[in-house]
């Protein structure tokens, strides 16, 4: 199939008002907001089979993960399924990637846990708030703000979140109860209460972990079918790959059967999920207030004040604003079906891609699978052992702990370890503090580079200073200092050629500083010549009417002029 690409709206330049209005109402603009219009007219029947297979496979992966991630968020397991189906339907219409799947994720569940405090009402309200903010950002085209979250910050956050989530499930593998949610207290009390471990949960949890790891290893080491006995080899390959892909569902089903059997014989040796709400969630407006068990009513404003006051691989492009819009609308609509906030899932997106999905329509099949589970399988979820869900979560987040990235940062740019480590360490305190701390440090490092551009100085009898980037107001004082110390305060003062072929922008502060520098060079009887000015920069300098402005096309021409003036 043709790759799905980002199709932005038409470029609007110096056109008339009528032309702008016409372009805003064009079919191309409609395609930008509804990407389904780009692939649906070209949909082939051959794609339907691949989309069905991919949607079913992802659905079988989504159901056990959604149940497990609800546990991470501190919510009843059914809320994981409530959050897992809306994204498939909405992303089909609004998504720009054929592979991405929206739904509950481990990291988003961890973020929600710190705000909702196990309260479903607050979780649903959080989904509405997140969706409203995300949609507003998309409409205002603020997707570029995501570019300011650097890779070291993302890696530091995901590694810390994976450790926090993974260790948080150890208590379920051990069968421990009433363990605090704060990470450091969780570590302390988990080890402190090891004598209370339930043997049944430990054995089942470890067996589930071993089975999941083995199936994952089989999938990763599976070799492609050979030419000899191609049909038999291909069938065996597909069977093993399919079993390994839906391993989460198989493990949870098997563990549930074991727990049901033991309970049926009157030996409840496992900690099970327990009672869950049955059937589909009602479609209703999200609650804007909450009534506590003692009858006290908490308004929307009070909830906000209390809880949130402190708070391309497949050859196509992803439109950040459109993705933000799709996720935002999913969260808004999800709040009407009792969902908590969702986002794109790395693991399920990879499964979707590897299964050969052709269009976002595979998400509809995934959504239907989740809805069928809610409609008919909820009574069976009563017997799901918490140890099996914990094993699913641990195996899902383990790949996010990427220790090799530390060595890559060390080899490529050691300074990148600073935001990585700050994000990683602060995230164990509060995950949101880790993100904020990392972004602040990355921003300061970025601003430092803007304020202190690299200036290469060469001596050819005349000083040649090569600027490696644009000039903006934070860098003017540094440029001034370099010119004064290297040229104007030298004895005798020296002429300078400023090689500006890398400079593509200047602002008013820079122009004003250059005016003063030209005057200082003239007072001392030496020259300051600009070479290699780009047309846009030269146009600005000429418009500023700088006195004694001299510029040449090359450094050699400037050296010739200055050499002649000193003879």
């Amino acid at each position: 199939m043709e790759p799905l690409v980002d199709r932005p709206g038409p470029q609007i330049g110096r056109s008339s008002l009528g032309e702008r209005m016409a372009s805003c109402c064009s079919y191309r603009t409609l395609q930008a907001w509804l990407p389904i219009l780009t692939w649906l007219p070209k949909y082939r029947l051959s794609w339907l089979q691949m989309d069905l297979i991919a949607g079913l496979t992802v659905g079988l992966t989504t159901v056990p993960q959604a149940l497990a991630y609800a546990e991470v968020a501190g919510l009843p397991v059914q809320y994981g399924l409530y959050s897992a189906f809306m994204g498939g339907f909405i992303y089909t219409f609004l998504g720009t990637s054929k592979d991405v799947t929206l739904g509950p994720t481990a990291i988003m569940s961890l973020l929600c846990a710190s705000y909702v405090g196990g309260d479903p009402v607050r979780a649903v309200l959080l989904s509405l708030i997140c969706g409203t903010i995300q949609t507003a950002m998309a409409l205002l085209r603020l997707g570029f703000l995501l570019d300011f979250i650097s890779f070291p910050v993302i890696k530091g956050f995901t590694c810390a979140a994976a450790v926090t989530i993974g260790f948080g499930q150890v208590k379920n593998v051990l069968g421990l109860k009433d363990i605090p949610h704060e990470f450091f207290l969780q570590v302390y009390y988990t080890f402190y209460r090891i004598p209370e471990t339930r043997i049944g949960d430990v054995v089942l949890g470890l067996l589930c972990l071993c089975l999941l790891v083995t199936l994952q290893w089989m999938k990763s080491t599976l070799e492609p079918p050979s030419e000899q006995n191609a049909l038999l080899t291909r069938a065996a390959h597909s069977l093993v790959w399919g079993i390994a892909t839906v391993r989460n569902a198989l493990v949870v089903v098997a563990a549930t059967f074991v727990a049901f059997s033991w309970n049926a014989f009157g030996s409840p040796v496992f900690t099970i999920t327990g009672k869950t709400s049955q059937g589909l969630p009602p479609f209703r407006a999200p609650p804007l207030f909450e009534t506590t068990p003692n009858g006290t009513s908490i308004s929307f404003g009070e909830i906000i004040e209390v809880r949130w006051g402190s708070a391309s691989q497949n050859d196509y492009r992803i439109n950040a604003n459109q993705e933000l819009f799709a996720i935002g609308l999913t969260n808004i609509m999800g709040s009407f079906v009792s969902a908590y906030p969702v986002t794109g899932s790395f693991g399920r997106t990879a499964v979707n891609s590897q299964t050969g999905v052709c269009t976002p329509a595979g998400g509809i099949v995934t959504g239907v699978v989740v809805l069928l589970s809610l409609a008919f399988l909820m009574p069976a979820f009563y017997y799901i052992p918490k140890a099996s869900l914990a094993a699913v979560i641990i195996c899902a987040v383990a790949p996010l702990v990427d220790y090799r990235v530390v060595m890559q940062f060390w080899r490529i740019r050691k300074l990148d370890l600073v935001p990585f480590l700050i994000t990683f360490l602060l995230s164990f305190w509060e995950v949101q503090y880790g993100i904020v701390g990392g972004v602040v440090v990355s921003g300061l490092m970025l601003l430092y580079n803007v304020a202190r551009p690299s200036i290469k100085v060469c001596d050819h009898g005349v000083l040649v200073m090569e600027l490696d980037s644009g000039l903006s107001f934070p860098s003017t004082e540094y440029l001034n200092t370099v010119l004064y110390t290297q040229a104007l305060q030298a004895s005798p003062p020296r002429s300078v050629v400023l090689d500006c072929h890398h400079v593509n922008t200047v602002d008013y502060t820079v122009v004003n500083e250059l005016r003063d520098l030209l005057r200082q060079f003239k007072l001392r009887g030496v020259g300051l010549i600009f070479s290699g000015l780009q047309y846009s920069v030269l146009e600005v300098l000429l418009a500023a009417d700088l006195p004694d402005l001299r510029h040449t096309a090359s450094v050699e021409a400037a050296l010739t002029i200055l050499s002649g003036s000193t003879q």
Side-chain angles (χ1 to χ4, degrees), residues 62 69 80 83-85 87-88 101-105 108 330 340-345 348:
T62 299
Y69 293 154
S83 308
F85 65 85
T101 63
L102 301 184
T105 65
M108 180 61 79
T330 296
Y340 69 87
V342 301
T343 187
S345 165
R348 296 193 295 275

Side-chain angles (χ1 to χ4, degrees), residues 107-431:
I107 292 178
M108 180 61 79
S109 300
L110 176 66
L111 288 169
C112 292
S114 61
Y115 287 105
V116 302
D119 187 342
V121 173
R122 298 179 192 269
V124 173
L125 187 56
L126 179 62
S127 181
L128 175 65
I129 294 171
C130 288
T132 303
I133 294 173
Q134 289 165 332
T135 304
M137 290 180 66
L139 294 175
L140 295 173
R141 319 307 285 175
L142 296 179
F144 73 92
L145 293 176
L146 302 178
D147 298 337
F148 289 94
I149 304 178
S150 65
F151 185 76
V153 173
I154 294 173
K155 272 298 180 183
F157 168 67
T158 54
C159 287
V163 173
T164 302
I165 294 168
F167 191 86
Q169 295 307 307
V170 172
K171 64 179 184 292
N172 289 328
V173 174
L174 299 178
L176 303 177
K177 297 181 179 179
D178 300 324
I179 300 295
H181 289 288
E182 292 80 4
F183 178 75
F184 296 108
L185 290 177
Q186 198 172 77
V187 172
Y188 173 78
Y189 280 102
T190 298
F191 285 104
Y192 179 76
R193 297 176 62 179
I194 280 182
E196 302 174 21
T197 297
R198 293 169 59 98
I199 301 299
D201 288 322
V202 173
V203 172
L204 182 63
L206 292 178
L207 285 175
C208 290
L209 279 171
C210 291
L211 187 56
L212 288 169
V213 171
T214 301
L215 290 173
Q216 174 60 29
W217 175 81
M218 290 173 58
K219 181 180 178 182
S220 62
T221 58
L222 200 61
E223 296 181 357
S226 62
E227 293 298 329
Q228 300 178 345
N229 300 322
L231 184 60
L232 182 61
T233 307
R234 197 170 288 115
H237 180 279
S238 300
L239 178 62
V240 174
W241 188 89
I243 291 174
T245 300
V246 297
R247 59 190 179 276
N248 291 332
L250 293 177
V251 167
V252 171
V253 168
T256 303
F257 179 75
V258 170
F260 173 79
S261 300
W262 280 87
N263 278 37
F265 287 105
S267 302
V269 296
F270 307 112
T271 303
I272 58 177
T273 300
K275 185 178 180 181
T276 58
S277 298
Q278 299 184 20
L280 301 175
F283 188 86
R284 61 190 178 196
L288 298 181
F289 64 91
E290 179 184 11
T291 302
T292 62
N294 63 7
T296 304
S297 180
I298 303 176
S299 68
F300 175 80
E302 290 173 324
I303 294 176
I304 296 295
E305 180 181 357
V306 172
R307 286 290 172 184
W308 294 286
S310 61
S312 333
Q313 186 176 0
N314 290 323
D315 298 326
Y316 53 81
R317 292 174 57 200
I318 298 294
N319 184 332
N321 286 306
Q322 185 64 25
E323 293 296 294
L324 200 58
F325 181 64
I327 296 173
L329 195 58
T330 296
N331 281 323
I332 290 175
M333 296 305 298
S335 68
F336 285 80
V337 291
S338 303
Y340 69 87
V342 301
T343 187
S345 165
F346 294 129
R348 296 193 295 275
T349 294
V351 170
N352 212 20
S353 177
Q354 293 165 4
T355 314
V357 70
C358 294
T359 69
I364 295 178
V365 182
T366 300
V368 170
V369 171
V370 175
L371 287 173
L372 290 174
S373 300
L374 279 167
F376 302 109
L377 298 180
M378 290 305 292
F381 294 159
Y382 177 93
Y383 293 100
I384 295 178
K386 288 191 175 183
S388 66
L389 295 180
V392 169
I393 295 170
I394 291 172
C395 289
V397 300
L400 297 179
V401 184
D402 188 2
Y403 61 89
R404 291 167 296 186
V405 76
V406 177
M407 299 307 299
Q408 293 172 0
F409 289 149
W410 181 263
R411 288 197 305 268
I412 297 172
R413 187 169 182 258
K414 296 178 179 61
L415 270 179
D416 283 337
L417 285 170
V418 176
F420 171 82
L421 290 174
I422 287 177
T423 305
F424 181 77
L425 295 175
L426 283 180
S427 293
F428 290 115
W429 178 23
E430 287 284 352
V431 286

Side-chain angles (χ1 to χ4, degrees), residues 15 44 117 162 315 420 496 522 547:
S15 57
R44 303 172 188 171
D315 298 326
F420 171 82
V496 173
K522 183 178 180 180

Side-chain angles (χ1 to χ4, degrees), residues 14-33:
R14 298 177 180 176
S15 57
S16 65
L17 179 60
E19 291 173 336
R20 294 187 183 189
M21 293 180 65
S23 65
C24 288
C25 301
S26 68
Y27 183 71
R28 190 177 178 186
T29 303
L30 188 60
Q31 283 182 317
W33 287 103

Side-chain angles (χ1 to χ4, degrees), residues 51-68:
D51 285 344
L52 285 173
I53 293 173
L56 181 61
T57 305
V58 174
L60 293 175
T61 305
T62 299
V63 171
Q65 284 191 343
L67 297 171

